[in-house]
Amino acid sequence: MNRFTRMAYSSPEDMVFGKAKKPLSYGLGMKVGAGSVVPEVNYAPRPGAEDSPEKLRKEYVDYITRDVISRAINMGFPSLQLETEWISLMGTKLNMSADIVTSQKECVEGYHTMYGINLAVRHTIPDLRLFEQHLRRRVNRNDYPSLLMGSAEVACENGADILSIESIGGKEVTDYAITHGDITAYLFGAGILGALDVENLWSELSNICKKNGTIPGGDTNCASSNMAMFMAGGFLDNDVQKTFSAIARCISAARTLCAIEAGATGPGKDCGYENIVVKAITGIPIAQEGKNCQCAHCDLMGNLMAQCCDLWSNESVAYHPEFGGTSVQCWTGQIGYECSLMNTAIASKKDKLLRDLYMISDRGRSPESFILAYDNAWAIGKAIVEAGDSHYLRAKAAALTGARLLMEGYNDKRLGLTEKQLSTLNRIVRDLESLPDEEDLFMEESIRRYAEDVPSFTPGNYDL
């Protein structure tokens, strides 16, 4: 593994949208992180489109892809990235998926040739693995671990410019952690189990990408940290304390980083809100989502997430008609105009001013937005790289640093916390500080405890 031991950026002040230390060129004239922000449109087919292979192909290619690109050309956007998130059926019907990938590639090439627009397609394959039926061991070509790698092969062989995934490793324990408010379980589930699984996956996925000339985009911890964020919700919600979801996000950064250390290069996928920490450490370009993803969900950091993005996404929108066109056309316009604003700020050398306006507008809105502000995200990244090789120590350092930043913000009256949020934060700090310094001791106790408390947790899924 290529462990990161130093920060790509010597100062958080050097980080800004549209520019990455390690810019990427791929697809049809696409340049990301090289001085401009590119819109990335995410979409989902209508229910029923999966009734037949041909119907699903038409939905993805003849309707969605053509609508998105034609709207971008009509509005004069110079570059556009599409993200095709595979529905579950595509992860089991690989012949059908191959036809969709190939047809979409041909469609994209046609528009590029005719109009000169820079284009690329990210394919995000589904992780259908079941904890009860092994995450790693392959029994036959139809089991889920084999189908996962088969999906990657199909996507890369048939024209995917970027391969990404939202992997589920550790989720059986993090689900328990979120519902029980157990930060130790979250540290074990995401910081260790999830990290081990990401390394295992991307050691193989990166090789598949390399063999086929596809960009290995990387992973997200959407399955766990976004679940915590959604359950924490807005100001009317109280199912999960926002200080818990904020520290969960810190831990998730160490997990997502493992994909890059196993060979992925980015651009990181939009739903990885922790990508800002990963960019600070690695210098890779990242996609982010925020205020223009209201079609998918609500969060409390809609402006802030644009602060250092290289691709700006709408998240996933179901294909349907709107007054202004189809849904994908309307959201293409929204994110395209936001990118135009960012790129104008870059051209006029006002990019850092706009970055700070984005960030400051949401910084104090919630604990999670506070720790994802680029200066705090950089500090969390620094804690990770200084903790050494241990998954446990890296995740623990990220969590404790995030907790310290939240407490400082509260004490300085830069961040408001409710009594429950504050008591949760204090409990998190006590729990984390009571943990042993030795990873072996933590692992031994965690395996024993959560094998009893979480029926779906099987140590063998992680070669433990």
Side-chain angles (χ1 to χ4, degrees), residues 69-105:
I69 300 176
S70 63
R71 178 58 63 95
I73 294 170
N74 209 21
M75 301 185 78
F77 300 147
S79 299
L80 176 72
Q81 185 157 297
L82 295 88
E83 181 181 4
T84 298
E85 290 188 337
W86 290 22
I87 61 173
S88 297
L89 181 67
M90 292 173 66
T92 58
K93 305 291 184 182
L94 297 185
N95 289 336
M96 175 179 68
S97 303
D99 187 34
I100 293 171
V101 177
T102 302
S103 298
Q104 189 174 36
K105 183 70 172 183

Side-chain angles (χ1 to χ4, degrees), residues 170-189 223-224 227 231 240 244 446 449-457:
K171 180 174 168 58
E172 74 278 43
V173 176
T174 58
D175 282 354
Y176 169 91
I178 294 167
T179 56
H180 288 77
D182 185 345
I183 199 64
T184 302
Y186 198 94
L187 179 66
F188 179 58
S224 296
M227 175 184 172
M231 290 185 69
V240 170
F244 184 94
S446 296
R449 175 182 173 186
Y450 297 113
E452 295 176 359
D453 293 347
V454 184
S456 56
F457 170 50

Side-chain angles (χ1 to χ4, degrees), residues 137-152:
R137 186 165 68 87
R138 301 178 196 178
V139 179
N140 56 63
R141 66 178 184 175
N142 292 318
D143 63 28
Y144 287 125
S146 297
L147 286 171
L148 175 57
M149 293 303 163
S151 298

